[in-house]
Amino acid sequence: MAMAPTIKVVLGSIAFGVFWVLAVFPAVPFMPIGRTAGSLLGAMLMVLFQVLTPDQAYESIDLPILGLLFGTMVVSVYLERADMFKYLGKLLSWKSQGPKDLLCRICLISAISSAFFTNDTSCVVLTEFVLKIARQQNLPPHPFLLALASSANIGSAATPIGNPQNLVIAIESKIPFGEFLFGIVAAMLVGICVNAVILLCMFWKVLCVQKDEEEPPMEVTPEEDVNSHRFSPATMSHLTPENSHDLNAYHEAMNSYSLPAKWKLILWKIGVYVITVAMLVSFLAELNMSWTAITDAMALVVLDFKDARPCLEKVSYSLLVFFCGMFVTIEGFDRTGIPEAIWNFMEPYAKINKVSGVAVLAIVIVVLSNLASNVPTVLLLGSRVAAAAATISPEKEKKAWLAWVSTVAGNLSLLGSAANLIVCEQARRAQHSGYNLTFWAHLKFGVPSTIIVTAIGLPLIRA
């Protein structure tokens, strides 16, 4: 693609710059309008500056990605109502053998739950459990919070539904769910183990601290001690006890039901789990992922047999709007010719059939993912990397390794992933914790973990 006329290059760069600033720093003093509005502002400027026509802007919006994202969010809402995440939290403390065992459990459970329920969701619902258990064990929460966030990012790389950038890669490159999963799962499992070893080495002395003998034995975190959460990957809105009245009333009503009504509740939960498993099986059977997710979401709505408005209101529509604006903004910036010029300069040094080329690409993706966020990075580089790989060998065209690098890159800094920010904010707001995970504290762990896990995982990617 040739460079656009100078006026379009300048105006398109301004529009993209506005989007980038508000996406990375959503509360800048001169325009604190947030990420979603910033995304729409960038898209509007692309059309207003005539970098894109209105028709081109609408055509750039990827409906299959939005449909898959919507469907998986609805499914996660019903799974939360069916206490799936409460059971995952209980696994953290069940017959725990001490701090080191707890840290390893957090790594494993966080990774697996993130692969199938998104990393943001897992971090929102598991942070409170981790803080509760750390407090009961009289341990500092720092290593456990790092284990939760970093493992959630690594685990989410294994499936197309683990995080937004994977959705983009899987749908654009048409990698089947099963091929994506089995192509990355080895790297994910090894990455989780390596990440856990790094955490154990860095915090070995802290994890050797024993509980006071007078302290009562650790108990499973009771449901009422954990705040409820709205599922919202974009903002992960926190429900305080005051505004979670409806959900508390719901559980109280369930506890007061007669035996037959309780059996109805149990059967309903089983139905939710069966439908969710059916969705995953359908993905493995290579059915259309977007419509499969929407179909399963509607099946859960029908199974619930009541007004779906309260559950549908928990879906993060702001995230869907953010994606719409981002698609338009990225398409406009792409049409300026700047990304193509940058790629043409970098391509001779980024051949994926050479170790040096893979290293260059990985470094560029890690840096851009932390500076400009991983989803825009994937949108800008994904198709170009695939096209360059196809010229070398058709079987190298698949881009699952791009999902691995761009996702693990989120562990580098506190700002590299929404999951990191969610854990940090949840810990800061927690009633009995108030712990502040600082940028530098995260960076000291994030740099070695990201470099080592990315490097070890790349040779294991098979898709």
Side-chain angles (χ1 to χ4, degrees):
M1 179 186 296
M3 290 289 287
T6 304
I7 184 65
K8 283 193 175 183
V9 172
V10 172
L11 294 176
S13 299
I14 292 173
F16 180 77
V18 170
F19 161 77
W20 180 84
V21 169
L22 294 176
V24 178
F25 308 104
V28 289
F30 60 86
M31 195 180 291
I33 62 175
R35 289 189 176 92
T36 300
S39 176
L40 282 179
L41 179 59
M44 182 272 293
L45 290 175
M46 286 293 182
V47 176
L48 187 66
F49 294 158
Q50 298 184 0
V51 179
L52 290 174
T53 66
D55 289 341
Q56 289 172 337
Y58 284 123
E59 289 171 1
S60 67
I61 297 174
D62 199 321
L63 292 179
I65 292 177
L66 296 180
L68 179 55
L69 197 56
F70 171 79
T72 53
M73 284 194 287
V74 173
V75 171
S76 292
V77 169
Y78 281 95
L79 283 172
E80 185 178 4
R81 274 189 54 197
D83 294 330
M84 166 66 78
F85 299 107
K86 184 185 76 173
Y87 300 145
L88 289 176
K90 287 183 176 181
L91 281 176
L92 294 177
S93 59
W94 182 64
K95 295 185 178 180
S96 176
Q97 300 301 311
K100 300 181 189 68
D101 174 51
L102 173 61
L103 185 138
C104 292
R105 287 191 190 203
I106 291 172
C107 289
L108 183 62
I109 292 174
S110 174
I112 294 175
S113 63
S114 296
F116 297 104
F117 310 119
T118 80
N119 52 355
D120 294 350
T121 309
S122 297
C123 287
V124 160
V125 297
L126 292 179
T127 299
E128 290 284 351
F129 290 102
V130 169
L131 291 172
K132 173 77 174 181
I133 295 170
R135 187 172 72 252
Q136 290 174 331
Q137 293 255 15
N138 195 28
L139 293 166
H142 182 197
F144 304 106
L145 294 176
L146 287 174
L148 174 61
S150 60
S151 299
N153 287 327
I154 296 171
S156 71
T159 66
I161 59 175
N163 55 60
Q165 64 268 19
N166 282 16
L167 294 179
V168 173
I169 291 170
I171 290 178
E172 285 194 348
S173 60
K174 297 180 173 57
I175 305 178
F177 186 93
E179 183 179 340
F180 195 110
L181 172 63
F182 295 116
I184 295 187
V185 68
M188 185 269 277
L189 293 174
V190 172
I192 289 300
C193 294
V194 171
N195 192 59
V197 169
I198 294 172
L199 285 164
L200 288 172
C201 291
M202 291 186 69
F203 299 103
W204 186 267
K205 291 183 178 180
V206 173
L207 298 173
C208 286
V209 176
Q210 298 296 321
K211 290 199 314 177
D212 295 333
E213 293 184 1
E214 299 177 358
E215 195 174 340
M218 185 176 67
E219 300 175 354
V220 173
T221 307
E223 182 180 358
E224 60 270 17
D225 283 353
V226 180
N227 290 338
S228 300
H229 304 274
R230 290 185 184 275
F231 173 75
S232 175
T235 59
M236 289 301 174
S237 308
H238 187 281
L239 279 182
T240 60
E242 289 79 10
N243 58 14
S244 62
H245 172 75
D246 293 341
L247 189 58
N248 291 334
Y250 167 81
H251 285 294
E252 289 175 4
M254 288 301 176
N255 291 334
S256 63
Y257 277 174
S258 62
L259 186 60
K262 287 188 176 182
W263 274 106
K264 287 182 181 179
L265 176 61
I266 292 173
L267 291 174
W268 176 79
K269 287 184 179 181
I270 293 173
V272 171
Y273 301 149
V274 168
I275 290 173
T276 303
V277 171
M279 180 182 73
L280 299 177
V281 172
S282 299
F283 287 159
L284 290 172
E286 300 186 15
L287 297 180
N288 183 283
M289 288 196 293
S290 180
W291 282 106
T292 295
I294 293 173
T295 300
D296 279 74
M298 292 303 100
L300 291 173
V301 169
V302 173
L303 177 69
D304 202 30
F305 207 67
K306 63 178 66 170
D307 186 359
R309 181 178 58 82
C311 287
L312 293 179
E313 285 178 347
K314 294 183 180 181
V315 171
S316 177
Y317 296 102
S318 63
L319 177 63
L320 301 178
V321 173
F322 172 82
F323 263 74
C324 290
M326 182 179 64
F327 285 136
V328 176
T329 306
I330 295 297
E331 176 67 17
F333 186 60
D334 202 28
R335 285 176 180 265
T336 65
I338 294 176
E340 186 70 20
I342 295 174
W343 174 253
N344 290 338
F345 171 79
M346 190 178 68
E347 185 179 8
Y349 311 99
K351 300 292 185 182
I352 66 170
N353 58 339
K354 298 180 181 179
V355 175
S356 59
V358 173
V360 169
L361 262 180
I363 291 170
V364 170
I365 292 167
V366 168
V367 172
L368 287 179
S369 294
N370 280 272
L371 291 178
S373 183
N374 38 29
V375 180
T377 298
V378 166
L379 286 171
L380 287 171
L381 288 182
S383 59
R384 292 178 172 86
V385 171
T391 61
I392 298 171
S393 173
E395 61 268 17
K396 292 183 180 292
E397 185 176 0
K398 296 296 178 65
K399 301 181 289 187
W401 69 271
L402 179 59
W404 173 255
V405 177
S406 62
T407 301
V408 177
N411 284 338
L412 183 72
S413 71
L414 191 61
L415 302 176
S417 166
N420 300 343
L421 295 174
I422 288 166
V423 170
C424 178
E425 186 64 13
Q426 294 286 88
R428 188 181 65 81
R429 291 183 179 183
Q431 182 178 0
H432 299 290
S433 172
Y435 179 78
N436 185 27
L437 182 61
T438 66
F439 178 87
W440 295 110
H442 186 283
L443 195 68
K444 285 191 292 187
F445 158 76
V447 171
S449 174
T450 301
I451 294 173
I452 295 171
V453 172
T454 301
I456 290 177
L458 272 175
L460 301 175
I461 304 297
R462 294 291 179 267

